Amino acid sequence: MTNEEVRVIGAMESAFSRRVEIALKMKGVKYEYVLENLSNKSPELLKYNPIHKKVPVFLHNGRPIVESLVILEYIDETWTSGPSILPKDPYERAISRFWANFIDTKILGALTKIYISKGKEQDANEEIVELLSILENELKDKKFFGGESIGLVDIVANLIALWLDVIQQGVGKEIFTKQTHPKLFKWSEEYMNCSIIKETLPPRADLLPHYFPSAYASK
Amino acid sequence: METSEELKLLGFWVSPTVARVGWALGLKGIKDYVYVEEDVMYNKSPLLLQLNPVHKKVPVLVHHGKPIAESDVIVKYIDETWKNYPLFSQDPYEKAKILSFAKFGDKLYADAFKAMWSRGEEQEKVVKSTIEELQKIEEEIKGRKFFGGESLGYLDIALGWISYLLPIWEEVAFIKIFDPIKFPGIALWAENFLSHPVIKEKLPPKDRAVEYFQERRAFITSIIYG
């Protein structure tokens, strides 16, 4: 076996960086994690992602890949022993990609609006409740979006399980609860109970002051 | 042997995302499908609303009765289902680079579209970013015939709109972004791209497209700027 070097340049608070870690842990791949301080970006980050200057940057034997969804598919294609991130059937793969896109465009967009408006825009709050219901519908009776075990959509939905919850707490609005979305809520409980997921979730106590510094600044 | 009822594409004549699907099918030599033109501006069909209830948009590809939406998802599906004329490199790293770059292309698309309808300082700002982004595309093509090398690939399909739609937007908005002197690589690629037989047959008529975007621009600016 050749000496494979796997490195992830990520940030503590980045859901996107954490997704890459979930995938690598699923595949049992050893990696080095480089923690970026996004308010003071390292020369290495700027070298490997000059276009976007963003995390995560995934380095496999020194070759960089950016964009978390792209990285997840690369990991799935490169390490083929161990659980699959995407299904094998082309139609099922298309469905997974569709919902991953949905989370990263529609839900992320609505969540950003809520964060920026500090929860005060009623339209944005209503929109995200609706979007989460649409996603919940896709879950049907499955334990995870990936079926019995986590798959691409579950990994991408880390954004919903933790980050959305932190933001709803910070703005003081109820947009995703056991009452509003019982099935999706149950999914998030199962999800955050998975040992692999638990290892990649930053503490809520670190995320809250990061997103809401004035309300939650550490004393 | 698949009959024409097995494959259906719901589209809109001037949509670049629909064009991507048409190009992908064309490159794979798939001609036997039903094309349904949707009146997306004024009268979306019940079929479209049923097949893409989440976004209510074209393109939608229906294969064996199962619908797939979103052009990037559809094109990947086409590539994984019909193995001839692969749209990606076999190397997973090269493929990943193509996919990341295509995402960057999406940002360029959004900025170029905004440059088309925005005004004043806002427009100046987004025109400037679009030109900077186009420079990255110029560096990527680097004098090659196509982004896919000697033959068309996923990135050519994803960025194809630059060759014929960007000039139309520039005309409609009286802006200059794609100067062939500043972007000789892209200019050459555009020429090669637009003269490819599969691409040529799926381009919207220019005059009609100009008229369409003039109307769109007027409509959007009336909403945003009052």
Side-chain angles (χ1 to χ4, degrees), chain B residues 28-223:
Chain B
K28 299 279 184 179
I30 300 164
K31 297 185 208 277
D32 197 20
Y33 61 94
V34 173
Y35 175 79
V36 177
E37 176 71 14
E38 281 286 331
D39 180 5
V40 297
M41 300 308 297
Y42 303 109
N43 194 17
K44 292 177 181 177
S45 75
L47 181 66
L48 175 60
L49 301 178
Q50 179 210 334
L51 293 174
N52 188 4
V54 175
H55 300 296
K56 307 176 177 52
K57 286 187 184 168
V58 292
V60 179
L61 186 75
V62 190
H63 192 208
H64 300 306
K66 296 194 276 197
I68 304 160
E70 309 239 297
S71 66
D72 62 321
V73 176
I74 297 171
V75 173
K76 285 169 195 164
Y77 174 81
I78 290 170
D79 197 46
E80 287 173 7
T81 303
W82 289 276
K83 306 284 193 188
N84 63 316
Y85 203 106
L87 299 175
F88 285 103
S89 167
Q90 299 288 43
D91 180 290
Y93 180 72
E94 291 305 318
K95 181 176 175 184
K97 277 207 317 191
I98 288 165
L99 288 170
S100 307
F101 203 80
K103 284 239 158 128
F104 175 71
D106 288 344
K107 174 150 206 310
L108 173 68
Y109 179 87
D111 284 347
F113 189 76
K114 187 172 182 190
M116 188 259 288
W117 60 254
S118 54
R119 285 196 201 152
E121 218 180 282
E122 197 180 3
Q123 185 181 49
E124 271 172 44
K125 196 168 160 221
V126 76
V127 164
K128 186 163 177 277
S129 340
T130 308
I131 292 174
E132 283 167 10
E133 286 154 13
L134 204 61
Q135 185 54 43
K136 298 276 183 283
I137 309 276
E138 177 73 18
E139 286 159 24
E140 181 62 26
I141 189 71
K142 282 192 279 263
R144 288 181 294 158
K145 185 173 182 194
F146 298 119
F147 290 97
E150 279 305 304
S151 53
L152 294 172
Y154 183 85
L155 208 43
D156 298 280
I157 291 175
L159 299 176
W161 63 272
I162 294 174
S163 67
Y164 69 99
L165 212 58
L166 183 55
I168 290 175
W169 291 349
E170 290 176 294
E171 184 179 326
V172 155
F174 310 102
I175 52 177
K176 195 73 198 159
I177 293 170
F178 177 15
D179 180 349
I181 295 176
K182 289 210 187 107
F183 300 106
I186 300 177
L188 184 61
W189 162 81
E191 231 180 270
N192 292 329
F193 183 77
L194 292 170
S195 51
H196 191 289
V198 162
I199 304 303
K200 261 202 299 215
E201 64 185 13
K202 300 242 187 296
L203 294 171
K206 186 177 177 215
D207 292 344
R208 215 181 138 203
V210 169
E211 209 182 293
Y212 169 82
F213 282 107
Q214 277 166 345
E215 276 177 37
R216 284 281 283 154
R217 179 171 182 260
F219 177 72
I220 295 172
T221 53
S222 71
I223 297 196

Side-chain angles (χ1 to χ4, degrees), chain A residues 185-204:
Chain A
F185 191 83
K186 179 158 183 268
W187 163 85
S188 74
E189 286 184 320
E190 291 274 13
Y191 180 73
M192 295 208 281
N193 217 28
C194 295
S195 54
I196 280 181
I197 302 301
K198 273 199 265 211
E199 287 168 32
T200 64
L201 291 175
R204 196 177 288 263

